[in-house]
Amino acid sequence: MTRTDPLDVPRPDARLHFGVFFQGVNHWTVWSDPASGSQTDPASFRRVAQTAERGLFDAFFLGEGLRLREVDGRIHELDIAGRPDAVTQLAALAAVTDRIGLVSTSNTTFNEPTDLARRLSGLDLLSGGRAGWNVVTTDNAWTGANFRRGGYLDHADRYRRAEEFLTVARALWDSWKDGAVFGSPGAQTWSAPDAVRRVTHRGDQFDVDLAPTLPRSAQGHPVIFQAGDSAEGRDFAARNADVVFSAHGSDFDDALAFAEDLRRRLTAAGRPEDDLRILPGTEIIIGATEEEALEKKQAIRLQQVTPATALGVAGLLWGIDLSDRDADAPLPAEDPVVAENDGSFGARRVADPRAVVATWRARAEANRWSLRETVIALGPQRGHVGTPDSLADRFAHWVRHGAVDGFNITPYLIPDGLDDIVDLLVPALQERGVYPTEYTGTTLREHLGLRAPLTHRSTHA
């Protein structure tokens, strides 16, 4: 429910946490803008990460793009292409940053725990305890064809694999005791006797038998992020995650309902209801006035949703190739083709296209929208628009009323898309007492105010 009483503030001392999400394969990053820089040059990643650190962001995220987006075997050439390998890129950023967390989006469907856990552990050590892992799964066979002898997994099997994957990874991270390395030139051996425990695991997905090679970092484990929104994904987060990266970041009531649902699931899993940080993904567009901000939003949307992109998005909804149509004409007259999503597409088709098309037609007719205008107005809605002061007031309300713990910001422009946020919004938030004025720790776990890793607690308390 919406809380409107200004005295009814459940979390008066709450502070916002910001992350920045450097996306993988997408069309939301405006590569065609004259101010856009390279999407693969190390300087672009460095610029974004260092700007975020100047703004006291908690984390820098890298999205994963294992393969270009396709529909029916055709590459969607208007997208930004995939990112460099996340752990490799984040290790490079560890050398040019000091405090900001470094979070890799890495897939449990197409990786193996002994390899990925070691690489994440290496990143955690090299960065001084700043690593995080955004644990994701995927259902698309178009990528899976190159992995795991065919790769496709049913939805429930993906989460069973993810949970076993994470169990093995944590066992590997816990195999070295605290203080395992003597670190003294007078010691007789490099590590303490029995400091390293051999990990043996036999499960449905993995067989593991090894003694891991790396000690734990200053934060114990990489921080675990999770982004699934299904019932299975939310339960997985309640049992396992430290942070949830959600899609519920544009509407207050929707965000609050999601947060309250997660807190109920946390309690059911035997964890304190404040044991998770909830950081919806969002885009932030800032103007000197509300009118300027809205004009800026419209200009950005026209860059993000080009005529060709609008036809591609609508084609997924209708289930037909619309690439030869006019995006500034009315919506297609044809009924949508309902096809089962067998995982062979690089972009998901809508579960009930007839109902969505009926809504689009009604709204488009009422507003006299073209196809492109309809896609912009009724397609995926992103983020927040306003002045620094109006946005700061809004975000203070959201965090103090428990709808979010912060936001994972997706810049629409690389590498300078965070400048307005850091230079204009952050000071306004600090004036309202809802944003830090300095880093108070050195590890990602400390930045987020998290408890010890779950496997380091005698109970989930």
PDB file of all heavy atoms in Angstrom, residues 407-424:
ATOM      1  N   PHE A 407      19.515   1.866  -6.036  1.00  0.00           N
ATOM      2  CA  PHE A 407      19.268   1.610  -7.446  1.00  0.00           C
ATOM      3  C   PHE A 407      20.561   1.178  -8.138  1.00  0.00           C
ATOM      4  O   PHE A 407      21.651   1.627  -7.780  1.00  0.00           O
ATOM      5  CB  PHE A 407      18.734   2.869  -8.143  1.00  0.00           C
ATOM      6  CG  PHE A 407      17.375   3.293  -7.673  1.00  0.00           C
ATOM      7  CD1 PHE A 407      17.248   4.281  -6.706  1.00  0.00           C
ATOM      8  CD2 PHE A 407      16.238   2.697  -8.175  1.00  0.00           C
ATOM      9  CE1 PHE A 407      16.009   4.678  -6.252  1.00  0.00           C
ATOM     10  CE2 PHE A 407      14.980   3.084  -7.729  1.00  0.00           C
ATOM     11  CZ  PHE A 407      14.864   4.075  -6.768  1.00  0.00           C
ATOM     12  N   ASN A 408      20.391   0.319  -9.132  1.00  0.00           N
ATOM     13  CA  ASN A 408      21.474  -0.054 -10.035  1.00  0.00           C
ATOM     14  C   ASN A 408      21.231   0.714 -11.327  1.00  0.00           C
ATOM     15  O   ASN A 408      20.291   0.411 -12.071  1.00  0.00           O
ATOM     16  CB  ASN A 408      21.465  -1.561 -10.265  1.00  0.00           C
ATOM     17  CG  ASN A 408      22.808  -2.092 -10.665  1.00  0.00           C
ATOM     18  OD1 ASN A 408      23.815  -1.427 -10.508  1.00  0.00           O
ATOM     19  ND2 ASN A 408      22.831  -3.307 -11.177  1.00  0.00           N
ATOM     20  N   ILE A 409      22.043   1.711 -11.601  1.00  0.00           N
ATOM     21  CA  ILE A 409      21.760   2.690 -12.644  1.00  0.00           C
ATOM     22  C   ILE A 409      22.362   2.240 -13.971  1.00  0.00           C
ATOM     23  O   ILE A 409      23.538   1.869 -14.050  1.00  0.00           O
ATOM     24  CB  ILE A 409      22.322   4.061 -12.240  1.00  0.00           C
ATOM     25  CG1 ILE A 409      21.638   4.541 -10.950  1.00  0.00           C
ATOM     26  CG2 ILE A 409      22.129   5.082 -13.359  1.00  0.00           C
ATOM     27  CD1 ILE A 409      22.319   5.731 -10.310  1.00  0.00           C
ATOM     28  N   THR A 410      21.541   2.270 -15.024  1.00  0.00           N
ATOM     29  CA  THR A 410      21.986   1.917 -16.370  1.00  0.00           C
ATOM     30  C   THR A 410      22.113   3.208 -17.187  1.00  0.00           C
ATOM     31  O   THR A 410      21.107   3.781 -17.599  1.00  0.00           O
ATOM     32  CB  THR A 410      20.997   0.956 -17.051  1.00  0.00           C
ATOM     33  OG1 THR A 410      19.691   1.557 -17.059  1.00  0.00           O
ATOM     34  CG2 THR A 410      20.913  -0.350 -16.316  1.00  0.00           C
ATOM     35  N   PRO A 411      23.326   3.701 -17.414  1.00  0.00           N
ATOM     36  CA  PRO A 411      23.477   4.944 -18.177  1.00  0.00           C
ATOM     37  C   PRO A 411      23.034   4.744 -19.625  1.00  0.00           C
ATOM     38  O   PRO A 411      23.291   3.700 -20.231  1.00  0.00           O
ATOM     39  CB  PRO A 411      24.984   5.228 -18.107  1.00  0.00           C
ATOM     40  CG  PRO A 411      25.517   4.350 -17.020  1.00  0.00           C
ATOM     41  CD  PRO A 411      24.616   3.164 -16.969  1.00  0.00           C
ATOM     42  N   TYR A 412      22.375   5.759 -20.173  1.00  0.00           N
ATOM     43  CA  TYR A 412      21.980   5.688 -21.582  1.00  0.00           C
ATOM     44  C   TYR A 412      23.109   6.117 -22.501  1.00  0.00           C
ATOM     45  O   TYR A 412      23.012   5.980 -23.712  1.00  0.00           O
ATOM     46  CB  TYR A 412      20.734   6.543 -21.840  1.00  0.00           C
ATOM     47  CG  TYR A 412      20.844   7.971 -21.366  1.00  0.00           C
ATOM     48  CD1 TYR A 412      21.445   8.943 -22.151  1.00  0.00           C
ATOM     49  CD2 TYR A 412      20.348   8.334 -20.125  1.00  0.00           C
ATOM     50  CE1 TYR A 412      21.561  10.242 -21.707  1.00  0.00           C
ATOM     51  CE2 TYR A 412      20.451   9.635 -19.671  1.00  0.00           C
ATOM     52  CZ  TYR A 412      21.052  10.586 -20.460  1.00  0.00           C
ATOM     53  OH  TYR A 412      21.172  11.882 -20.018  1.00  0.00           O
ATOM     54  N   LEU A 413      24.201   6.641 -21.905  1.00  0.00           N
ATOM     55  CA  LEU A 413      25.336   7.094 -22.702  1.00  0.00           C
ATOM     56  C   LEU A 413      26.624   6.641 -22.018  1.00  0.00           C
ATOM     57  O   LEU A 413      26.757   6.738 -20.799  1.00  0.00           O
ATOM     58  CB  LEU A 413      25.323   8.626 -22.803  1.00  0.00           C
ATOM     59  CG  LEU A 413      26.218   9.276 -23.863  1.00  0.00           C
ATOM     60  CD1 LEU A 413      25.767   8.864 -25.263  1.00  0.00           C
ATOM     61  CD2 LEU A 413      26.186  10.793 -23.715  1.00  0.00           C
ATOM     62  N   ILE A 414      27.535   6.120 -22.810  1.00  0.00           N
ATOM     63  CA  ILE A 414      28.847   5.678 -22.337  1.00  0.00           C
ATOM     64  C   ILE A 414      29.917   6.503 -23.049  1.00  0.00           C
ATOM     65  O   ILE A 414      29.845   6.666 -24.269  1.00  0.00           O
ATOM     66  CB  ILE A 414      29.048   4.176 -22.653  1.00  0.00           C
ATOM     67  CG1 ILE A 414      28.041   3.321 -21.884  1.00  0.00           C
ATOM     68  CG2 ILE A 414      30.470   3.721 -22.336  1.00  0.00           C
ATOM     69  CD1 ILE A 414      28.175   3.390 -20.368  1.00  0.00           C
ATOM     70  N   PRO A 415      30.891   7.062 -22.335  1.00  0.00           N
ATOM     71  CA  PRO A 415      31.232   6.811 -20.933  1.00  0.00           C
ATOM     72  C   PRO A 415      30.807   7.906 -19.961  1.00  0.00           C
ATOM     73  O   PRO A 415      31.156   7.859 -18.797  1.00  0.00           O
ATOM     74  CB  PRO A 415      32.759   6.733 -20.971  1.00  0.00           C
ATOM     75  CG  PRO A 415      33.128   7.747 -22.016  1.00  0.00           C
ATOM     76  CD  PRO A 415      32.035   7.696 -23.054  1.00  0.00           C
ATOM     77  N   ASP A 416      30.043   8.943 -20.431  1.00  0.00           N
ATOM     78  CA  ASP A 416      29.792  10.118 -19.594  1.00  0.00           C
ATOM     79  C   ASP A 416      28.385  10.144 -18.991  1.00  0.00           C
ATOM     80  O   ASP A 416      27.971  11.178 -18.453  1.00  0.00           O
ATOM     81  CB  ASP A 416      30.005  11.395 -20.424  1.00  0.00           C
ATOM     82  CG  ASP A 416      31.422  11.505 -20.961  1.00  0.00           C
ATOM     83  OD1 ASP A 416      32.337  10.985 -20.297  1.00  0.00           O
ATOM     84  OD2 ASP A 416      31.607  12.089 -22.050  1.00  0.00           O
ATOM     85  N   GLY A 417      27.650   9.047 -19.058  1.00  0.00           N
ATOM     86  CA  GLY A 417      26.254   9.053 -18.644  1.00  0.00           C
ATOM     87  C   GLY A 417      26.013   9.183 -17.153  1.00  0.00           C
ATOM     88  O   GLY A 417      24.871   9.389 -16.733  1.00  0.00           O
ATOM     89  N   LEU A 418      27.067   9.057 -16.341  1.00  0.00           N
ATOM     90  CA  LEU A 418      26.889   9.214 -14.894  1.00  0.00           C
ATOM     91  C   LEU A 418      27.197  10.618 -14.398  1.00  0.00           C
ATOM     92  O   LEU A 418      26.961  10.922 -13.224  1.00  0.00           O
ATOM     93  CB  LEU A 418      27.803   8.232 -14.136  1.00  0.00           C
ATOM     94  CG  LEU A 418      27.454   6.757 -14.159  1.00  0.00           C
ATOM     95  CD1 LEU A 418      28.441   5.990 -13.289  1.00  0.00           C
ATOM     96  CD2 LEU A 418      26.037   6.510 -13.681  1.00  0.00           C
ATOM     97  N   ASP A 419      27.710  11.476 -15.253  1.00  0.00           N
ATOM     98  CA  ASP A 419      28.212  12.766 -14.782  1.00  0.00           C
ATOM     99  C   ASP A 419      27.137  13.587 -14.077  1.00  0.00           C
ATOM    100  O   ASP A 419      27.365  14.131 -12.988  1.00  0.00           O
ATOM    101  CB  ASP A 419      28.795  13.565 -15.952  1.00  0.00           C
ATOM    102  CG  ASP A 419      30.117  12.985 -16.445  1.00  0.00           C
ATOM    103  OD1 ASP A 419      30.528  11.928 -15.926  1.00  0.00           O
ATOM    104  OD2 ASP A 419      30.724  13.575 -17.354  1.00  0.00           O
ATOM    105  N   ASP A 420      25.947  13.728 -14.695  1.00  0.00           N
ATOM    106  CA  ASP A 420      24.875  14.502 -14.070  1.00  0.00           C
ATOM    107  C   ASP A 420      24.445  13.890 -12.736  1.00  0.00           C
ATOM    108  O   ASP A 420      24.117  14.608 -11.787  1.00  0.00           O
ATOM    109  CB  ASP A 420      23.664  14.576 -14.994  1.00  0.00           C
ATOM    110  CG  ASP A 420      23.853  15.584 -16.118  1.00  0.00           C
ATOM    111  OD1 ASP A 420      24.869  16.303 -16.098  1.00  0.00           O
ATOM    112  OD2 ASP A 420      22.988  15.636 -17.014  1.00  0.00           O
ATOM    113  N   ILE A 421      24.442  12.563 -12.673  1.00  0.00           N
ATOM    114  CA  ILE A 421      24.015  11.889 -11.443  1.00  0.00           C
ATOM    115  C   ILE A 421      25.006  12.163 -10.316  1.00  0.00           C
ATOM    116  O   ILE A 421      24.621  12.499  -9.191  1.00  0.00           O
ATOM    117  CB  ILE A 421      23.853  10.386 -11.709  1.00  0.00           C
ATOM    118  CG1 ILE A 421      22.705  10.161 -12.691  1.00  0.00           C
ATOM    119  CG2 ILE A 421      23.620   9.613 -10.406  1.00  0.00           C
ATOM    120  CD1 ILE A 421      22.650   8.786 -13.282  1.00  0.00           C
ATOM    121  N   VAL A 422      26.288  12.039 -10.617  1.00  0.00           N
ATOM    122  CA  VAL A 422      27.319  12.245  -9.601  1.00  0.00           C
ATOM    123  C   VAL A 422      27.432  13.721  -9.221  1.00  0.00           C
ATOM    124  O   VAL A 422      27.574  14.063  -8.036  1.00  0.00           O
ATOM    125  CB  VAL A 422      28.665  11.690 -10.092  1.00  0.00           C
ATOM    126  CG1 VAL A 422      29.800  12.109  -9.169  1.00  0.00           C
ATOM    127  CG2 VAL A 422      28.597  10.165 -10.195  1.00  0.00           C
ATOM    128  N   ASP A 423      27.343  14.619 -10.208  1.00  0.00           N
ATOM    129  CA  ASP A 423      27.582  16.034  -9.949  1.00  0.00           C
ATOM    130  C   ASP A 423      26.347  16.774  -9.434  1.00  0.00           C
ATOM    131  O   ASP A 423      26.485  17.779  -8.723  1.00  0.00           O
ATOM    132  CB  ASP A 423      28.080  16.726 -11.215  1.00  0.00           C
ATOM    133  CG  ASP A 423      29.439  16.201 -11.671  1.00  0.00           C
ATOM    134  OD1 ASP A 423      30.199  15.716 -10.803  1.00  0.00           O
ATOM    135  OD2 ASP A 423      29.720  16.243 -12.879  1.00  0.00           O
ATOM    136  N   LEU A 424      25.138  16.291  -9.778  1.00  0.00           N
ATOM    137  CA  LEU A 424      23.926  17.022  -9.431  1.00  0.00           C
ATOM    138  C   LEU A 424      23.015  16.266  -8.461  1.00  0.00           C
ATOM    139  O   LEU A 424      22.533  16.838  -7.473  1.00  0.00           O
ATOM    140  CB  LEU A 424      23.134  17.359 -10.704  1.00  0.00           C
ATOM    141  CG  LEU A 424      23.886  18.174 -11.764  1.00  0.00           C
ATOM    142  CD1 LEU A 424      23.047  18.303 -13.016  1.00  0.00           C
ATOM    143  CD2 LEU A 424      24.268  19.530 -11.217  1.00  0.00           C
TER     144      LEU A 424
END
